[in-house]
Amino acid sequence: MVDVNKLEFGIETFGDIVANEDGSLKTAAESIRQIVREGELADKLGINVIGVGEHHRPDYSVSSPETVLAAISSVTNQIKLATAVTVLSSDDPVRVYERFATLDGLSQGRAQVMLGRGSFTESFPLFGYDLTDYDDLFNEKLELFDLLRKEDPVTWSGKFRPELKDQEVYPKTEKELETYIGIGGSPESIIRAAKFGYKVIIAIIGGQADRFKPYIDLYHKAAEQLNMPVYPVAVHSHGFIADDEDEAVEVAFKNIKANFDRIGLTRGWAPMSREQFDNETKVGSFYVGDPETVAQRIARTIDLLDLGRFDLVYGAGNQTAAQRERMIELYATKVIPRVKEILSEKEAAK
């Protein structure tokens, strides 16, 4: 049963390059500064979380999300500061922990690290890792990160980094660092998260949300059997909101299609058709439309999956700063209150 009073709502950006009003593109530096402004806006409007992705590609502006989050922390007071995701497999767990402990101190305990294997692979050759070690890298580094998170002296050895002998890591945090594992939808990933006692956020980027219900049930069962905490599950999905329904659909189709088609060139996907896009916006994983349309669909997903948090991925493709900021405003002032109202009414009717 969804507890509306504890329900959290976030926004996430993967750092897409922002468009100017004339259709030209801003620089990566300008796009990064725009994300900081969006984080400040989201905080003022009462959104619970902002997540920033890590990518090492020309079509995204952010390769160091914790640096951008630190900038956001300096102009905000309440909003939680998350990654979406940190690619632990191609990073050093010690440095990851140090960076997020630093962010946590700067933000007075608002840092969240979301650990993942990464849906893109550019970071692996960039930092000297072999993709054939994809699974082993994440498993080993997650094991070390879990030891570091306890903030005791660490003794550890593995295959992919030098061993540690009774090693302290600094700075220490004032409370335990909030940690999520990003899940793409495999049973192994769900069970791994439960084993380590971490919170889970599921990326639902295609198809109906209903198909993820078995994974959430598996997480609950696995955590209970392993005597680990059972946390409310979070999801994130793409979307776009505008005052006008038709405008929202057209802007989203132009930008989300361009984004997915560009990625598909390296993954063997066929170009997104209008029929495919329309199906995703009606019953799938794209939350697109005016505030009422989006609120109804988000409320259904939250209720169906019994979620504790919903993050909307905004800015996909090359949207303008005005489009991105207006979407955040509508999400905070129209969609979130309406979702809570729908869920409360549904609960009262039971």
Side-chain angles (χ1 to χ4, degrees):
M1 182 176 66
V2 175
D3 187 339
V4 175
N5 295 320
K6 294 182 179 179
L7 196 57
E8 289 189 316
F9 293 88
I11 55 171
E12 295 181 15
T13 175
F14 294 160
D16 303 74
I17 301 297
V18 181
N20 292 304
E21 293 294 337
D22 64 3
S24 63
L25 298 182
K26 295 184 181 296
T27 65
E30 290 172 321
S31 299
I32 290 169
R33 293 192 289 271
Q34 176 61 31
I35 292 171
V36 176
R37 286 190 286 271
E38 289 160 359
E40 185 176 14
L41 174 63
D43 183 61
K44 289 178 179 177
L45 294 173
I47 293 174
N48 300 114
V49 187
I50 181 168
V52 180
E54 173 195 343
H55 296 90
H56 304 266
R57 299 165 52 95
D59 43 348
Y60 296 105
S61 63
V62 180
S63 60
S64 177
E66 55 272 72
T67 305
V68 179
L69 293 169
I72 295 174
S73 78
S74 70
V75 294
T76 58
N77 297 304
Q78 301 295 328
I79 197 166
K80 295 180 181 179
L81 308 163
T83 47
V85 301
T86 291
V87 186
L88 185 65
S89 305
S90 58
D91 211 327
D92 176 27
V94 175
R95 294 295 291 143
V96 170
Y97 195 82
E98 289 179 337
R99 296 196 301 264
F100 279 90
T102 301
L103 174 63
D104 204 56
L106 284 171
S107 64
Q108 297 185 327
R110 291 186 282 138
Q112 285 183 357
V113 58
M114 187 193 301
L115 303 173
R117 294 184 292 177
S119 60
F120 292 92
T121 59
E122 289 83 2
S123 63
F124 290 82
L126 180 63
F127 298 115
Y129 292 103
D130 191 331
L131 277 170
T132 60
D133 296 322
Y134 186 78
D135 289 322
D136 291 340
L137 280 164
F138 187 70
N139 290 333
E140 180 179 296
K141 293 187 175 190
L142 184 60
E143 178 185 291
L144 175 54
F145 187 89
D146 192 56
L147 293 175
L148 296 165
R149 190 165 171 255
K150 296 175 174 62
E151 298 194 342
D152 296 324
V154 175
T155 297
W156 176 92
S157 64
K159 178 181 176 182
F160 299 107
R161 79 171 315 281
E163 67 179 5
L164 299 172
K165 293 183 178 179
D166 201 31
Q167 182 67 56
E168 295 274 8
V169 175
Y170 302 99
K172 306 296 185 183
T173 58
E174 295 175 325
K175 62 177 182 62
E176 188 175 76
L177 179 63
E178 189 171 8
T179 304
Y180 280 80
I181 293 184
I183 303 294
S186 73
E188 295 81 8
S189 297
I190 289 285
I191 293 171
R192 183 195 295 117
K195 174 185 173 183
F196 282 96
Y198 287 170
K199 297 178 180 179
V200 168
I201 184 161
I202 301 175
I204 304 181
I205 60 173
Q208 296 185 25
D210 310 51
R211 65 192 179 95
F212 286 87
K213 187 69 166 64
Y215 294 105
I216 295 174
D217 293 341
L218 177 62
Y219 166 71
H220 289 155
K221 290 177 182 177
E224 289 170 357
Q225 289 177 6
L226 293 165
N227 293 317
M228 300 301 288
V230 181
Y231 296 108
V233 172
V235 303
H236 78 210
S237 294
H238 285 80
F240 182 71
I241 310 162
D243 293 277
D244 178 75
E245 178 85 11
D246 292 338
E247 177 193 354
V249 170
E250 292 311 310
V251 170
F253 178 65
K254 172 188 172 184
N255 286 283
I256 293 177
K257 172 180 167 56
N259 180 260
F260 275 63
D261 287 356
R262 186 170 58 246
I263 296 169
L265 291 174
T266 62
R267 300 192 183 180
W269 299 344
M272 180 182 289
S273 67
R274 184 58 188 254
E275 181 182 9
Q276 180 185 356
F277 173 83
D278 288 343
N279 185 64
E280 288 289 352
T281 61
K282 289 181 173 64
V283 296
S285 62
F286 297 166
Y287 295 81
V288 172
D290 61 22
E292 180 64 21
T293 298
V294 174
Q296 290 286 347
R297 295 207 58 236
I298 291 176
R300 179 189 181 278
T301 296
I302 292 172
D303 182 56
L304 174 71
L305 300 181
D306 192 22
L307 301 177
R309 171 175 155 188
F310 183 94
D311 285 6
L312 194 62
V313 181
Y314 75 99
N318 303 118
Q319 298 172 24
T320 67
Q323 289 169 337
R324 292 163 62 110
E325 291 179 15
R326 183 57 179 160
M327 199 218 83
I328 292 170
E329 291 173 353
L330 291 171
Y331 182 61
T333 63
K334 302 289 186 180
V335 173
I336 292 174
R338 180 62 178 136
V339 171
K340 291 180 178 179
E341 182 180 51
I342 293 167
L343 293 171
S344 295
E345 290 172 351
K346 186 177 183 66
E347 185 59 31
K350 289 182 179 179

